[in-house]
Amino acid sequence: MYFSSDEKANVIIGEAAMNLFNAGQEVNVELLIQELQVMADSEVNEYRLEQMQTARQWLTGFKTIGSRTTRPANWLSRNAGIEPAINASADDIFFKH
């Protein structure tokens, strides 16, 4: 199975999030950064250490509100393949032609 570097970073962040969740802690940016540091402190694999460092640096950009670009995320702003809702009764049946 092939993972891109983004997918690998997501796996590391997900691992940190699950550690927090399993410990009954809130999952937020600050705690994710701290958990990644805790994970790194006991990690011996250099590749995973590098991933954790990269993930911490990336997450640091989200520590304050407005620290990232204000343009909307593409997946939030596009309506690709989504048709607008019709203002009709639920009892009505419509067929597309």
Side-chain angles (χ1 to χ4, degrees):
M1 177 180 283
Y2 171 79
F3 287 107
S4 72
S5 60
D6 287 342
E7 288 170 319
K8 289 178 184 173
N10 290 341
V11 169
I12 293 291
I13 292 170
E15 193 176 318
M18 287 304 299
N19 289 345
L20 291 171
F21 178 77
N22 288 334
Q25 294 184 306
E26 180 180 343
V27 177
N28 62 41
V29 172
E30 190 67 39
L31 291 176
L32 282 170
I33 293 169
Q34 289 175 18
E35 180 61 25
L36 285 165
Q37 183 60 55
V38 168
M39 290 168 59
D41 289 345
S42 61
E43 183 61 57
V44 294
N45 182 311
E46 289 295 322
Y47 183 68
R48 282 181 51 88
L49 280 168
E50 183 180 316
Q51 290 175 324
M52 290 174 196
Q53 175 61 28
T54 301
R56 284 195 313 268
Q57 289 173 342
W58 182 78
L59 284 168
T60 300
F62 293 97
K63 284 176 71 170
T64 58
I65 296 174
S67 64
R68 288 288 186 179
T69 179
T70 56
R71 65 188 170 95
N74 289 341
W75 62 273
L76 289 174
S77 62
R78 64 183 157 161
N79 293 327
I82 299 173
E83 296 180 20
I86 330 173
N87 189 8
S89 166
D91 294 332
D92 296 336
I93 298 175
F94 293 94
F95 293 98
K96 287 187 176 183
H97 297 283

